[in-house]
Amino acid sequence: SALTGVFSCQLQGEFHLNGVHKTGDVILGGLFPVHFFKSVPDLSFISEPQQPTCHGFYVQGFRLAQIMAFAIDEINKNSELLPNVTLGYSLYDNCAELGIGFRGALSLVNGQEEQIILDHACAGNPLVIGIVGDSSSTRSIAISSVLGLYRVPMVSYFATCSCLTDRQKYPSFFRTIPSDGFQVRAMIQILKHFGWTWAGLLISNDDYGHNAARSLQSELSRSGEGCLAYFEVLPRDKNTDEVRRIVNVMKKSTARVVIVFAYESHILNLMNEVVTQNVTGLQWMASEAWTAAAVLQTPQLMPYLGGTLGIAIRHGEIPGLREFLLKIRPTLHYNNSYGNRMVNQFWEFTFQCRFAPAPPGWLEGGGALCTGQEKLQNVDNEFLDITNLRPEYNVYKAVYALAYSLDDMLRCKPGRGPFSGNSCGALQSLEPWQLVYYLERVNFTTPFGDEVSFDENGDVVPIYDVMNWLWLPDGSTEVQNVGEVKRSTFKGEELILDEDKIFWNFDLKKPPRSVCSESCPPGTHMVRRKAEPKCCFDCIPCSEGKITNKSSSCPEDFWSNPQRDYCVPKKTEFLSYHEPLGICLAATSLLGTLICAVVLGIFFYHRRTPIIRANNSELSFQLLLSLKLCFLCSLLFIGRPRMWTCQLRHAAFGISFVLCVSCILVKTMVVLAVFKASKPGGGTSLKWFGVMQQRGTVLFLTSIQAAICTTWLVSSSPTPHKNTQYQNDKIVYECAFGSTVGFAVLLGYIGVLAFLSFLIAFLARNLPDSFNEAKLITFSMLIFCAVWVAFVPVYISSPGNYADAVEVFAILASSFGLLITLFGPKCYIIIMRPELNTKKVIMGRGSES
């Protein structure tokens, strides 16, 4: 064939799949569980493996496939949706098994032709443009992992695993059923509503069960709404020993609520053992996978499962469906081929007959032959019951989502398309990824009035019905709608329940109590039990701060009285003007301010005397004013903390002390400059320390501290804080720093300037006395640094209002130290020894030295 320019591919193997097909311009694929079980072939590999066979016909699964056929038939008759385009379908039975479902998906995208002839153009439509399915999360994960590589859209009607929202792993997966993440939150809403904080969890051993369990445990831990008494995984097969062990755990547990995330096939084995051991008095909570399972609603199981509360898929109505189902007819020339035998299997199951040729022994055993003329309307089973369409409604929406997406693509105007070069998708060269683009943006309304669209994860807007299994007096069963859970933009998950309608399968006809430990009685409080969930606790007598008549803690600002029968306001503590300590500190602050004012008056009065002029009178005045501010800022630390005092106290303290230390630093530098200027050739040094330079230096150094304080106040401002950590029965009002780093930088900057002043003064301490204040500055800086070095550890270790007192004491001590050491000797000379305050004496000192 290579010589003729024609290439072909040979099919290496054929899957014997149970399916039904209809031709069309565009084909949609579908995967449905038409059978429950499969027979496992011999896999010894000593001969060619046999194809698996399916058994246990599932009427609801077959009806799901027929819903898809009905939806496509309805779309083809609709002249406004996909005009001039005929949809076809290929529907396969997955037998509720991963391997068979995977075979079906591969057959849908690859085809089953024995030989495929390829030309050089390699053009044409894909075999299917999208797949409706699968029903299982496990199968959907496996199939969409492969189909996602080729961006083949897959719209599931029943796969709820939260993991499927990962668009990196499953870029072309969509679903018309809410994810388990929302279902779990809906169940927690029900638990919370009835006060059930103690529940057991049973899951199926698959992705659906394990992912639901992870979500439930995570949500319970995050919300704190309850605890799990036990967590068990139901076996896949009929492992009677394991099932018996699980039922024993349920029987011994004090939890009255059992949450089950599993399929009915898993639960059947469990319920057989529950009936055997007669385990009653349980409140079952069903996931959407088995809420409407008719196979469990039997007279044998309803004494145990009656009153079950379940999360159900949103129900809908599909007009014309019953008439369509009644038109189903078998293929009379039935040859047991794998192509179109699904309808015939349904017919045989429904009428309990067999098409000719009948299996050996069928007729001899009294079995009937199917004629194809049997009347479906005379059959009483769930196939024709269209009053409770839930997964069926999801299939209906999935088919329409694909159809509307295709319709939107075909209505694209050339030159205005979303693809490269503003091109549009064409029916003759359709690529599956093009349909994914339109699926992400599809938005339509069903005849039932539900709006359908997908979010960025491929999920629909979530809404669930809350169902209740009602056991009627005549022994029949009804699954009734008693509420709904939906996601609201403003309220989050919202639960609406009609409690009067709920049937409770208990003697009192009321909701059961399911808690590990009952609420503690008055006069006691709970204490967690070691190695047990937080819902399990013991009750011990109330300690201080709790009251007996309410069995609860007093409000934050209150404490129990000695008799513990009512709450009284807590005592409040802060550095007050009305207590001795506050009075002493405030008086000392005012005394320091007064002394500064007196010294300032003395210096101003004697400003023309040699001792004032020789020691830089302007800087001395600035230093006295800054010391006055230092004394006054300590008053901000006394009194009830308020927002403005908390913000101002450290800012005023930091700026005042930097202004003070800056003046001292400049004075020290001027002393050195004057000394150098007095030496031969040193006259130029004074020009760098003129009056303007001195003022500028002080202003610049102070502005840096102002910037630090501003940044601190803007980024993380100190605020008033009620501290109850020191004593439970007292409230200590204090100013929280907001930012410890800000306070540390503020103190650190003062420390750097003080250290520089000390260092320069120390180096200049031996200069002639006539020029020298260095010794006094050195001594003053030693006192200043000693006070603040001692302040830090004492402040950290001081509790409550004593921390403020320590800081005020440090401010006053350092301020008095500077005031006394720097101005005390000068005031002594001016007042007590005026004869020394002459130019001759001062200059004489210099000559003497």
Side-chain angles (χ1 to χ4, degrees):
S1 60
L3 295 175
T4 62
V6 178
F7 299 88
S8 65
C9 294
Q10 188 72 30
L11 193 66
Q12 296 299 307
E14 182 182 3
F15 296 141
H16 295 171
L17 297 170
N18 189 19
V20 59
H21 311 275
K22 180 180 179 180
T23 59
D25 300 327
V26 177
I27 305 298
L28 298 181
L31 297 170
F32 301 97
V34 181
H35 288 85
F36 261 131
F37 308 106
K38 73 175 180 71
S39 297
V40 181
D42 178 23
L43 296 178
S44 61
F45 299 105
I46 58 176
S47 62
E48 181 180 354
Q50 297 177 348
Q51 295 282 348
T53 57
C54 302
H55 57 92
F57 194 83
Y58 184 39
V59 174
Q60 287 92 334
F62 175 73
R63 185 168 67 170
L64 292 174
Q66 292 305 307
I67 297 288
M68 181 169 178
F70 167 78
I72 290 176
D73 183 67
E74 189 177 64
I75 292 168
N76 288 335
K77 293 177 181 178
N78 189 340
S79 59
E80 297 182 359
L81 181 60
L82 291 175
N84 303 320
V85 175
T86 301
L87 290 181
Y89 55 76
S90 286
L91 313 180
Y92 285 126
D93 176 12
N94 60 32
C95 295
E97 206 277 331
L98 174 59
I100 298 177
F102 211 106
R103 288 179 174 90
L106 293 178
S107 298
L108 288 171
V109 295
N110 290 331
Q112 290 265 47
E113 294 86 352
E114 292 186 4
Q115 187 176 27
I116 302 173
I117 307 299
L118 304 176
D119 58 16
H120 290 292
C122 196
N125 283 344
L127 293 172
V128 295
I129 62 167
I131 296 176
V132 175
D134 196 299
S135 58
S136 156
S137 293
T138 298
R139 295 191 294 272
S140 294
I141 290 170
I143 295 170
S144 59
S145 296
V146 176
L147 299 190
L149 299 175
Y150 306 99
R151 302 302 190 265
V152 177
M154 182 174 176
V155 186
S156 175
Y157 52 90
F158 212 64
T160 59
C161 180
S162 300
C163 57
L164 287 164
T165 59
D166 188 342
R167 300 308 276 176
Q168 296 297 319
K169 293 182 179 179
Y170 316 106
S172 59
F173 180 83
F174 300 83
R175 53 182 159 194
T176 53
I177 184 172
S179 74
D180 281 335
F182 180 75
Q183 181 180 192
V184 163
R185 290 192 291 274
M187 283 197 169
I188 291 178
Q189 288 290 325
I190 296 174
L191 292 173
K192 180 180 178 181
H193 179 83
F194 291 109
W196 296 333
T197 59
W198 190 236
L201 176 62
L202 305 178
I203 65 167
S204 55
N205 192 13
D206 53 21
D207 292 299
Y208 169 70
H210 288 291
N211 280 283
R214 278 194 292 270
S215 295
L216 182 65
Q217 290 173 314
S218 175
E219 287 293 327
L220 284 176
S221 175
R222 184 187 62 82
S223 65
E225 300 294 346
C227 309
L228 293 181
Y230 53 86
F231 170 31
E232 298 292 342
V233 179
L234 299 174
R236 293 175 182 268
D237 51 11
K238 295 183 179 181
N239 187 336
T240 54
D241 291 338
E242 178 64 11
V243 172
R244 187 178 300 111
R245 186 194 65 80
I246 292 173
V247 173
N248 283 330
V249 170
M250 297 167 58
K251 192 174 182 180
K252 294 176 181 177
S253 174
T254 57
R256 297 295 89 199
V257 175
V258 183
I259 304 170
V260 185
F261 282 91
Y263 299 100
E264 55 260 47
S265 56
H266 297 88
I267 301 171
L268 277 172
N269 296 331
L270 174 73
M271 292 312 300
N272 289 334
E273 185 63 29
V274 168
V275 173
T276 301
Q277 296 194 30
N278 192 28
V279 182
T280 59
L282 296 179
Q283 174 62 49
W284 297 81
M285 290 188 66
S287 67
E288 100 294 329
W290 65 281
T291 292
V295 69
L296 297 173
Q297 299 164 23
T298 63
Q300 293 77 24
L301 298 182
M302 282 307 292
Y304 305 91
L305 291 175
T308 294
L309 285 174
I311 301 295
I313 304 165
R314 177 73 166 172
H315 79 287
E317 295 179 3
I318 305 177
L321 176 61
R322 180 178 172 84
E323 291 75 14
F324 177 85
L325 296 178
L326 286 171
K327 294 178 182 177
I328 293 176
R329 288 292 179 270
T331 302
L332 294 179
H333 303 289
Y334 179 45
N335 60 0
N336 201 33
S337 70
Y338 286 93
N340 282 285
R341 67 174 189 170
M342 195 182 293
V343 174
N344 290 46
Q345 291 173 332
F346 162 71
W347 206 265
E348 291 180 340
F349 175 82
T350 301
F351 296 105
Q352 293 299 299
C353 60
R354 294 292 181 270
F355 284 97
W362 176 259
L363 294 176
E364 292 78 359
L369 286 176
C370 299
T371 65
Q373 302 302 315
E374 292 83 0
K375 302 295 183 182
L376 272 178
Q377 54 265 38
N378 297 334
V379 176
D380 183 19
N381 65 16
E382 63 270 21
F383 181 72
L384 295 175
D385 182 9
I386 61 171
T387 60
N388 193 31
L389 302 177
R390 296 183 185 277
E392 295 86 355
Y393 188 45
N394 284 347
V395 172
Y396 184 78
K397 290 187 289 186
V399 175
Y400 265 89
L402 289 167
Y404 272 103
S405 301
L406 181 61
D407 185 68
D408 291 342
M409 189 187 74
L410 297 181
R411 292 181 187 275
C412 173
K413 295 182 179 180
R416 300 176 62 182
F419 308 124
S420 59
N422 295 326
S423 61
C424 297
L427 193 64
Q428 295 75 21
S429 58
L430 175 63
E431 296 288 346
W433 57 264
Q434 294 174 324
L435 196 61
V436 172
Y437 173 86
Y438 285 96
L439 260 175
E440 290 175 340
R441 293 157 179 81
V442 73
N443 194 322
F444 64 94
T445 302
T446 67
F448 189 58
D450 287 337
E451 185 176 333
V452 179
S453 62
F454 300 105
D455 64 13
E456 66 276 5
N457 296 320
D459 290 327
V460 292
V461 177
I463 182 170
Y464 275 115
D465 290 336
V466 180
M467 309 303 293
N468 178 231
W469 288 21
L470 176 61
W471 191 21
L472 300 174
D474 61 359
S476 61
T477 303
E478 177 185 344
V479 180
Q480 59 176 350
N481 190 329
V482 294
E484 66 180 17
V485 188
K486 59 184 178 181
R487 177 178 294 166
S488 169
T489 305
F490 303 103
K491 299 181 181 179
E493 283 77 30
E494 184 181 6
L495 172 66
I496 302 172
L497 278 181
D498 185 356
E499 292 192 49
D500 294 335
K501 292 177 61 178
I502 298 178
F503 168 73
W504 301 107
N505 194 26
F506 302 97
D507 294 336
L508 298 177
K509 303 301 179 185
K510 291 182 179 180
R513 289 283 296 165
S514 187
V515 295
C516 182
S517 300
E518 291 291 345
S519 299
C520 290
T524 62
H525 73 284
M526 65 180 185
V527 174
R528 285 272 304 273
R529 296 175 187 166
K530 291 184 179 180
E532 291 191 33
K534 61 182 179 182
C535 300
C536 302
F537 50 84
D538 294 317
C539 297
I540 65 173
C542 289
S543 58
E544 290 184 347
K546 294 180 180 287
I547 50 177
T548 56
N549 62 333
K550 294 182 181 177
S551 186
S552 61
S553 298
C554 290
E556 183 181 5
D557 294 346
F558 290 81
W559 194 249
S560 58
N561 66 334
Q563 293 74 31
R564 298 177 192 171
D565 55 0
Y566 67 91
C567 296
V568 295
K570 288 182 179 179
K571 295 179 181 179
T572 57
E573 280 190 358
F574 55 88
L575 191 57
S576 171
Y577 287 107
H578 303 292
E579 62 182 38
L581 181 60
I583 294 172
C584 291
L585 293 175
T588 306
S589 173
L590 294 175
L591 177 62
T593 305
L594 179 61
I595 294 174
C596 283
V598 171
V599 173
L600 185 62
I602 293 172
F603 268 51
F604 184 78
Y605 183 77
H606 297 277
R607 66 187 180 278
R608 301 190 186 279
T609 60
I611 195 168
I612 302 299
R613 298 182 64 186
N615 287 285
N616 201 327
S617 59
E618 182 174 339
L619 282 176
S620 295
F621 289 138
Q622 291 179 7
L623 182 56
L624 282 168
L625 288 173
S626 64
L627 280 173
K628 194 173 183 179
L629 293 175
C630 290
F631 281 114
L632 289 174
C633 78
S634 63
L635 296 175
L636 294 172
F637 292 82
I638 306 173
R640 181 186 290 269
R642 304 183 187 280
M643 179 61 77
W644 69 272
T645 58
C646 287
Q647 292 177 334
L648 190 58
R649 58 166 59 172
H650 287 108
F653 153 70
I655 294 173
S656 300
F657 268 91
V658 165
L659 179 60
C660 178
V661 177
S662 298
C663 292
I664 295 173
L665 178 60
V666 172
K667 279 175 72 74
T668 311
M669 295 171 69
V670 169
V671 169
L672 281 177
V674 171
F675 176 71
K676 288 184 178 180
S678 67
K679 291 184 176 182
T684 58
S685 61
L686 268 180
K687 72 177 183 178
W688 299 108
F689 289 96
V691 175
M692 293 303 295
Q693 286 84 353
Q694 295 173 30
R695 295 172 183 168
T697 302
V698 172
L699 180 62
F700 173 74
L701 293 175
T702 306
S703 64
I704 293 176
Q705 184 73 307
I708 292 172
C709 293
T710 302
T711 303
W712 181 13
L713 294 178
V714 170
S715 62
S716 184
S717 174
T719 55
H721 173 63
K722 295 179 180 179
N723 194 328
T724 57
Q725 294 181 352
Y726 302 119
Q727 287 182 290
N728 290 330
D729 59 343
K730 291 182 181 179
I731 298 175
V732 177
Y733 282 97
E734 60 186 14
C735 287
F737 282 130
S739 171
T740 307
V741 175
F743 184 58
V745 172
L746 180 145
L747 280 181
Y749 182 62
I750 297 174
V752 169
L753 293 182
F755 178 75
L756 286 175
S757 300
F758 169 76
L759 184 63
I760 296 173
F762 181 79
L763 294 175
R765 70 190 184 282
N766 293 322
L767 295 180
D769 287 350
S770 54
F771 303 108
N772 198 5
E773 277 188 297
K775 291 181 180 178
L776 299 178
I777 293 173
T778 302
F779 189 55
S780 67
M781 286 297 100
L782 275 174
I783 296 174
F784 183 88
C785 293
V787 169
W788 287 104
V789 168
F791 159 78
V792 174
V794 176
Y795 181 83
I796 293 174
S797 61
S798 298
N801 57 343
Y802 292 106
D804 289 336
V806 167
E807 190 164 358
V808 172
F809 179 81
I811 292 172
L812 295 177
S814 56
S815 299
F816 272 113
L818 294 175
L819 179 62
I820 293 171
T821 54
L822 293 177
F823 296 98
K826 297 181 181 64
C827 289
Y828 174 76
I829 292 174
I830 292 171
I831 298 172
M832 305 300 294
R833 301 290 299 275
E835 68 276 7
L836 300 179
N837 189 8
T838 62
K839 185 175 181 180
K840 181 178 178 181
V841 172
I842 293 174
M843 295 303 294
R845 287 185 179 184
S847 60
E848 291 173 5
S849 61

